[in-house]
Amino acid sequence: MVSSTALAVTALTLTAACSGNPGSATASAGRTEVIGAFYPMVWIAERVGGADVSVRGLTKPGAEPHDLELTPRQIADVGKAKFVVYVKGVQPAVDEAVAQHAKDRSLDAASVVKTLPLTAEESEAEHAGEEHSEEGHGHETSYDPHIWLDPSRLATIATTLGERLAAADPAHAAGYRANAASVAGELGALDKEFAAGLRQCSQKTFVTAHAAFGYLADRYGMKQVPIAGVDPQNEPSPKRLAELTRVVRDNKVSTIFTETLVSPKVAQTLAKEAGVRTASLDPLEGVAEGSKDDYLSVMRRNLQALRTASSCT
C-alpha cells in the first residue's frame, strides 16, 4: 500500500517537472540538476559545475541555515536532483532527506576532509544554555561541521565534487574537472593570504558569536572562544557570560565578533561588560539575496577583521 507521504512527494515531483519555475526541469533543460544545502555548498557547486549545471539552494539567501525545516516540495527536489552537496551535522532535516532520498547521489563534504572534534570550550558553549532551553536543536555530531571556513579543506571538497559530477554526468566530465582545478587554485591562493596575514599577530585569541571558526583557528594558529556552540541559537547562561568576560579580560581581547545572520545582542552585552568593541566576522552560512559578495570576498573581509582585532603586522 502506498503511503500518503509517498503520494505527496510523487505529486510534487511531477508538478515541479511540469512547471516553469527557476530550477525546474523545464527551466534547466539540458543541464544537470544539483542541490546545495546552504550557501558555501551552493557556491562550490556553481563554481565546479559551471554552465553545465543548474544549482538550487535549500536555504533561502540571507537565512540562518542551522535549523532549516524542509517543505514537502524541497524534499521532492532532493529526491529528483541529479546530485546533492551538503555538510552532515549542519542541518538535521537535510541529513534526513538525503539519507532517505539521495543517499547514492550526494556528497557529504565532511566525509572527504579531516574533521576536528569539538574543543572543550566549544562543547561547553554548545551545552551552556541547555538548562534554559525547552528542547535541543538536534545537532548531535561529535565533530565541528564548519569545514568550509578553512580554504584548504574547501579546495579538497571542490576537487572531490569535480570527480563526483564527472561520474554523474560523463558528457561534461572534462569541464567539471577543469572548473574544480581552477577553484581549488583560487582557494589555495586564499589559504596563502590567510597564512601570511595571520602569521605575526600579538593576539591569538578571538571571541566569536558561535563556534563556527574552529577550522580557521586550527589552520592558522589562532584560538577561537565561542559565545554559543555549533548551533548559534543556544544562548549562553549567565554563568557562561561571566566566564567569557574573564577570558576577554585575562587575554586582553580587544574585540567581540558578531555575525550577519545572528542577533548581536548577546555579543554586544559581553563587549559592554568587558569594556571592548565589537566587529563583524562572517561564518559564510548565508549571503543576502542580490549581494555582490561571494565566498572569496567575504573571507578576505574576515581576514582583515581578524588582522585588525589581533594587531597583526
Side-chain angles (χ1 to χ4, degrees), residues 169-242:
D169 180 20
H172 302 106
Y176 296 140
R177 291 185 175 117
N179 292 343
S182 177
V183 72
E186 291 182 82
L187 291 167
L190 180 65
D191 178 44
K192 291 178 181 178
E193 290 178 37
F194 266 83
L198 299 177
R199 183 170 293 122
Q200 296 184 1
C201 305
S202 61
Q203 174 57 262
K204 291 289 187 177
T205 299
F206 62 102
V207 178
T208 61
H210 85 287
F213 296 90
Y215 288 92
L216 188 152
D218 179 76
R219 178 70 176 171
Y220 306 114
M222 308 287 282
K223 181 182 178 182
Q224 171 191 232
V225 176
I227 297 174
V230 169
D231 188 334
Q233 304 304 322
N234 286 343
E235 292 191 2
S237 64
K239 178 182 177 182
R240 174 65 180 165
L241 281 174

Side-chain angles (χ1 to χ4, degrees), residues 100-186:
Q100 292 182 359
H101 303 290
K103 190 173 183 179
D104 298 326
R105 295 173 288 103
S106 61
L107 173 63
D108 167 17
S111 71
V112 300
V113 297
K114 181 181 179 181
T115 57
L116 298 174
L118 294 175
T119 67
E121 281 185 322
E122 290 166 346
S123 182
E124 180 182 358
E126 183 69 8
H127 300 291
E130 284 187 349
E131 64 269 28
H132 302 284
S133 174
E134 292 183 2
E135 59 182 59
H137 291 283
H139 297 274
E140 299 296 336
T141 58
S142 59
Y143 59 86
D144 179 353
H146 297 84
I147 51 178
W148 62 91
L149 287 162
D150 172 5
S152 69
R153 282 177 167 85
L154 192 57
T156 298
I157 294 164
T159 301
T160 304
L161 180 58
E163 292 300 321
R164 296 291 295 275
L165 288 178
D169 180 20
H172 302 106
Y176 296 140
R177 291 185 175 117
N179 292 343
S182 177
V183 72
E186 291 182 82

Side-chain angles (χ1 to χ4, degrees), residues 12 24 64 156 166 215 233 271 288 306:
L12 284 168
S24 71
E64 209 292 315
T156 298
Y215 288 92
Q233 304 304 322
L306 282 168

Side-chain angles (χ1 to χ4, degrees), residues 9-141:
V9 170
T10 301
L12 284 168
T13 302
L14 291 171
T15 300
C18 296
S19 73
N21 294 331
S24 71
T26 301
S28 60
R31 292 193 290 168
T32 297
E33 296 263 353
V34 177
I35 282 181
F38 61 112
Y39 177 74
M41 300 300 104
V42 170
W43 182 79
I44 205 71
E46 290 176 338
R47 291 298 308 275
V48 174
D52 295 315
V53 303
S54 174
V55 181
R56 179 190 296 230
L58 292 176
T59 307
K60 291 181 180 179
E64 209 292 315
H66 281 271
D67 298 305
L68 174 71
E69 296 294 336
L70 296 179
T71 65
R73 182 179 293 277
Q74 287 177 312
I75 295 172
D77 289 340
V78 170
K80 74 183 181 66
K82 186 75 172 181
F83 206 78
V84 181
V85 191
Y86 72 115
V87 181
K88 188 174 182 180
V90 175
Q91 300 167 295
V94 175
D95 297 348
E96 182 178 355
V98 170
Q100 292 182 359
H101 303 290
K103 190 173 183 179
D104 298 326
R105 295 173 288 103
S106 61
L107 173 63
D108 167 17
S111 71
V112 300
V113 297
K114 181 181 179 181
T115 57
L116 298 174
L118 294 175
T119 67
E121 281 185 322
E122 290 166 346
S123 182
E124 180 182 358
E126 183 69 8
H127 300 291
E130 284 187 349
E131 64 269 28
H132 302 284
S133 174
E134 292 183 2
E135 59 182 59
H137 291 283
H139 297 274
E140 299 296 336
T141 58

